[in-house]
Amino acid sequence: KDLGQEVSKKRPRETPNYFVSIPITDDQILDRIEDVQELIFTKEPDLLRALLPVQTMHLTIIVAHLRTEEEVKKAVLALKHSKTKVEAILQGKNLNMTFHGVGQFNNQVIYVKMLEEDQKMLSRIAEAVEECFIDMNLNISGSKDFKPHLTFLKLSKAPRLKRRGFRKICSDLYKEYEDSYFGTEVFSQIDLCAMRKKKQESGYYYCECSINVGSGSMGESKEQ
């Protein structure tokens, strides 16, 4: 029997319903993203529905399919366990995440890029978090390779546009910002968020648990 098939039979690819992420809250970054969104909307009002609210800005580390409350509890534990590993990587230093320039995937997803040199340590952190989830035997099979980017426009958010033949987002819509500096966020928090639960009043996703990391962290983790 093909081993690959065996594995996939055992664990079907269920649609992710949770994700682990780093929230982006720096005002300068969010204001700049709103500026680009406004520019795109001015040039192409149809794209309004494809814009993502800045209150939801985050970097995704992994996605997970958690079937039961029990699995959600295990995921909360996994995130808490990752704190020690993450702190060991940071060694008490601040990790600055610098955002510069705009990129795209297949002309259907538009995002703010993160400086290459700031990504190295972040990738190690993502790996540490992933290991903790695997140790808990949680289903993170839907996760892609960690490539930090801030998505602010997604064609898939507006399926109607596609039906009307809108299949590509032209780079002319945001070329003024293609090489712009957006700002720097100091890495300080990792969240476990629910995709399908009602968002918080702030507009951010429902958080099952947050851990604070880095030199500014008080060592506390918050749980809903």
Side-chain angles (χ1 to χ4, degrees):
K1 257 282 165 93
D2 181 354
L3 240 177
Q5 273 184 313
E6 291 272 282
V7 175
S8 66
K9 265 200 195 123
K10 220 173 84 191
R11 234 178 203 185
R13 275 206 113 155
E14 287 123 332
T15 319
N17 55 354
Y18 282 83
F19 62 98
V20 177
S21 63
I22 298 164
I24 301 298
T25 57
D26 179 80
D27 284 336
Q28 184 187 352
I29 297 171
L30 301 183
D31 287 348
R32 294 286 282 181
I33 290 175
E34 281 193 321
D35 292 344
V36 189
Q37 290 184 328
E38 211 164 291
L39 175 73
I40 292 172
F41 170 65
T42 313
K43 294 181 180 180
E44 192 58 85
D46 277 351
L47 286 173
L48 180 64
R49 282 172 185 278
L51 298 174
L52 275 69
V54 291
Q55 297 86 333
T56 64
M57 288 299 132
H58 64 277
L59 301 171
T60 305
I61 296 179
I62 46 175
V63 296
H65 178 82
L66 307 175
R67 283 173 309 199
T68 58
E69 268 313 306
E70 208 45 54
E71 287 193 346
V72 174
K73 282 182 187 145
K74 276 167 82 175
V76 166
L77 268 178
L79 184 59
K80 287 180 174 173
H81 288 171
S82 73
K83 185 180 166 75
T84 344
K85 287 187 177 188
V86 173
E87 305 263 319
I89 294 169
L90 290 170
Q91 294 180 337
K93 296 188 188 81
N94 270 343
L95 168 56
N96 290 328
M97 304 181 291
T98 307
F99 293 94
H100 191 112
V102 175
Q104 49 81 19
F105 297 132
N106 295 332
N107 292 312
Q108 300 199 348
V109 172
I110 313 296
Y111 60 89
V112 181
K113 295 193 270 198
M114 190 170 146
L115 277 195
E116 289 281 336
E117 53 263 38
D118 295 352
Q119 291 185 25
K120 290 187 186 79
M121 194 180 280
L122 208 55
S123 293
R124 284 175 60 203
I125 287 167
E127 222 164 275
V129 174
E130 194 170 322
E131 277 165 17
C132 291
F133 273 70
I134 292 168
D135 290 347
M136 282 285 193
N137 198 23
L138 293 161
N139 182 355
I140 58 165
S141 63
S143 301
K144 297 183 173 79
D145 287 344
F146 178 63
K147 292 192 180 81
H149 62 281
L150 276 186
T151 302
F152 63 83
L153 192 154
K154 236 186 194 166
L155 263 190
S156 61
K157 252 197 105 231
R160 267 193 212 152
L161 287 179
K162 261 194 161 158
R163 288 200 291 274
R164 286 181 17 216
F166 215 117
R167 299 193 184 281
K168 283 194 169 174
I169 295 157
C170 176
S171 62
D172 286 355
L173 294 176
Y174 52 83
K175 64 171 185 287
E176 290 92 320
Y177 286 91
E178 259 179 328
D179 198 27
S180 269
Y181 170 70
F182 278 75
T184 301
E185 171 102 22
V186 180
F187 170 58
S188 64
Q189 188 175 321
I190 305 178
D191 297 330
L192 170 66
C193 298
M195 292 181 186
R196 300 185 192 143
K197 289 190 179 175
K198 192 175 186 289
K199 288 194 172 83
Q200 300 176 36
E201 271 181 27
S202 64
Y204 190 63
Y205 295 93
Y206 179 91
C207 266
E208 296 289 348
C209 173
S210 296
I211 56 166
N212 293 100
V213 284
S215 52
S217 93
M218 299 310 292
E220 275 309 301
S221 62
K222 293 194 295 290
E223 228 179 298
Q224 287 287 14

mmCIF file of all heavy atoms in Angstrom, residues 3 6 48 68 74-75 85 92 146 180 189-190 201 222:
data_model
loop_
_atom_site.group_PDB
_atom_site.id
_atom_site.type_symbol
_atom_site.label_atom_id
_atom_site.label_comp_id
_atom_site.label_asym_id
_atom_site.label_seq_id
_atom_site.Cartn_x
_atom_site.Cartn_y
_atom_site.Cartn_z
ATOM 1 N N LEU A 3 2.222 4.394 1.243
ATOM 2 C CA LEU A 3 2.251 4.948 2.603
ATOM 3 C C LEU A 3 1.533 6.280 2.697
ATOM 4 O O LEU A 3 0.820 6.552 3.652
ATOM 5 C CB LEU A 3 3.709 5.120 3.037
ATOM 6 C CG LEU A 3 4.119 4.329 4.275
ATOM 7 C CD1 LEU A 3 5.571 4.522 4.564
ATOM 8 C CD2 LEU A 3 3.265 4.707 5.479
ATOM 9 N N GLU A 6 -2.040 5.830 3.181
ATOM 10 C CA GLU A 6 -2.338 5.360 4.538
ATOM 11 C C GLU A 6 -2.482 6.555 5.478
ATOM 12 O O GLU A 6 -3.442 6.678 6.206
ATOM 13 C CB GLU A 6 -1.164 4.496 5.059
ATOM 14 C CG GLU A 6 -1.011 3.185 4.361
ATOM 15 C CD GLU A 6 -1.865 2.108 5.011
ATOM 16 O OE1 GLU A 6 -1.453 1.604 6.053
ATOM 17 O OE2 GLU A 6 -2.955 1.811 4.477
ATOM 18 N N LEU A 48 -13.741 46.881 -2.563
ATOM 19 C CA LEU A 48 -14.019 47.159 -1.145
ATOM 20 C C LEU A 48 -14.226 45.875 -0.334
ATOM 21 O O LEU A 48 -13.673 45.700 0.740
ATOM 22 C CB LEU A 48 -15.254 48.065 -1.010
ATOM 23 C CG LEU A 48 -15.640 48.416 0.437
ATOM 24 C CD1 LEU A 48 -14.546 49.240 1.107
ATOM 25 C CD2 LEU A 48 -16.951 49.167 0.488
ATOM 26 N N THR A 68 -12.702 19.078 19.188
ATOM 27 C CA THR A 68 -13.452 19.032 20.457
ATOM 28 C C THR A 68 -12.916 20.086 21.420
ATOM 29 O O THR A 68 -11.825 20.629 21.226
ATOM 30 C CB THR A 68 -13.258 17.651 21.129
ATOM 31 O OG1 THR A 68 -11.837 17.468 21.341
ATOM 32 C CG2 THR A 68 -13.775 16.525 20.257
ATOM 33 N N LYS A 74 -6.023 21.273 24.801
ATOM 34 C CA LYS A 74 -4.667 20.797 24.521
ATOM 35 C C LYS A 74 -3.879 21.852 23.735
ATOM 36 O O LYS A 74 -2.677 22.042 23.954
ATOM 37 C CB LYS A 74 -4.731 19.492 23.708
ATOM 38 C CG LYS A 74 -4.925 18.250 24.582
ATOM 39 C CD LYS A 74 -5.302 17.024 23.771
ATOM 40 C CE LYS A 74 -4.084 16.352 23.155
ATOM 41 N NZ LYS A 74 -4.473 15.082 22.463
ATOM 42 N N ALA A 75 -4.572 22.548 22.840
ATOM 43 C CA ALA A 75 -3.920 23.595 22.047
ATOM 44 C C ALA A 75 -3.497 24.764 22.940
ATOM 45 O O ALA A 75 -2.416 25.339 22.770
ATOM 46 C CB ALA A 75 -4.854 24.084 20.943
ATOM 47 N N LYS A 85 10.227 27.854 25.245
ATOM 48 C CA LYS A 85 11.070 27.697 24.058
ATOM 49 C C LYS A 85 11.291 29.040 23.359
ATOM 50 O O LYS A 85 12.398 29.365 22.926
ATOM 51 C CB LYS A 85 10.409 26.735 23.060
ATOM 52 C CG LYS A 85 10.444 25.274 23.470
ATOM 53 C CD LYS A 85 9.922 24.391 22.333
ATOM 54 C CE LYS A 85 10.036 22.908 22.715
ATOM 55 N NZ LYS A 85 9.721 22.023 21.599
ATOM 56 N N GLY A 92 15.989 37.231 26.066
ATOM 57 C CA GLY A 92 15.786 38.528 26.712
ATOM 58 C C GLY A 92 15.905 39.736 25.798
ATOM 59 O O GLY A 92 15.836 40.881 26.245
ATOM 60 N N PHE A 146 6.065 28.570 6.971
ATOM 61 C CA PHE A 146 5.934 29.890 7.592
ATOM 62 C C PHE A 146 6.607 30.957 6.737
ATOM 63 O O PHE A 146 7.816 30.955 6.547
ATOM 64 C CB PHE A 146 6.543 29.853 8.999
ATOM 65 C CG PHE A 146 6.489 31.178 9.709
ATOM 66 C CD1 PHE A 146 5.268 31.765 10.013
ATOM 67 C CD2 PHE A 146 7.655 31.848 10.063
ATOM 68 C CE1 PHE A 146 5.205 32.989 10.667
ATOM 69 C CE2 PHE A 146 7.603 33.070 10.721
ATOM 70 C CZ PHE A 146 6.372 33.643 11.023
ATOM 71 N N SER A 180 7.536 51.048 -0.006
ATOM 72 C CA SER A 180 7.359 51.955 1.129
ATOM 73 C C SER A 180 7.675 51.284 2.456
ATOM 74 O O SER A 180 7.426 50.097 2.619
ATOM 75 C CB SER A 180 5.901 52.411 1.200
ATOM 76 O OG SER A 180 5.726 53.573 0.471
ATOM 77 N N GLN A 189 3.657 39.059 21.606
ATOM 78 C CA GLN A 189 2.495 38.236 21.945
ATOM 79 C C GLN A 189 2.220 37.176 20.882
ATOM 80 O O GLN A 189 2.448 37.398 19.701
ATOM 81 C CB GLN A 189 1.273 39.170 22.042
ATOM 82 C CG GLN A 189 0.015 38.515 22.576
ATOM 83 C CD GLN A 189 -1.107 39.537 22.752
ATOM 84 O OE1 GLN A 189 -0.857 40.661 23.171
ATOM 85 N NE2 GLN A 189 -2.320 39.158 22.420
ATOM 86 N N ILE A 190 1.734 36.013 21.336
ATOM 87 C CA ILE A 190 1.270 34.981 20.408
ATOM 88 C C ILE A 190 -0.137 34.580 20.848
ATOM 89 O O ILE A 190 -0.388 34.380 22.039
ATOM 90 C CB ILE A 190 2.182 33.726 20.412
ATOM 91 C CG1 ILE A 190 3.636 34.105 20.133
ATOM 92 C CG2 ILE A 190 1.706 32.727 19.350
ATOM 93 C CD1 ILE A 190 4.618 32.933 20.177
ATOM 94 N N GLU A 201 -14.968 42.798 20.427
ATOM 95 C CA GLU A 201 -15.486 44.140 20.140
ATOM 96 C C GLU A 201 -14.470 44.986 19.393
ATOM 97 O O GLU A 201 -14.808 45.855 18.598
ATOM 98 C CB GLU A 201 -15.893 44.837 21.445
ATOM 99 C CG GLU A 201 -17.337 44.537 21.816
ATOM 100 C CD GLU A 201 -17.766 45.229 23.089
ATOM 101 O OE1 GLU A 201 -17.201 46.292 23.425
ATOM 102 O OE2 GLU A 201 -18.677 44.698 23.759
ATOM 103 N N LYS A 222 -2.982 35.006 29.033
ATOM 104 C CA LYS A 222 -4.406 35.294 29.215
ATOM 105 C C LYS A 222 -5.208 34.181 28.581
ATOM 106 O O LYS A 222 -4.876 33.703 27.520
ATOM 107 C CB LYS A 222 -4.780 36.602 28.525
ATOM 108 C CG LYS A 222 -4.153 37.831 29.145
ATOM 109 C CD LYS A 222 -4.829 39.075 28.643
ATOM 110 C CE LYS A 222 -4.644 39.323 27.141
ATOM 111 N NZ LYS A 222 -3.290 39.701 26.774
#
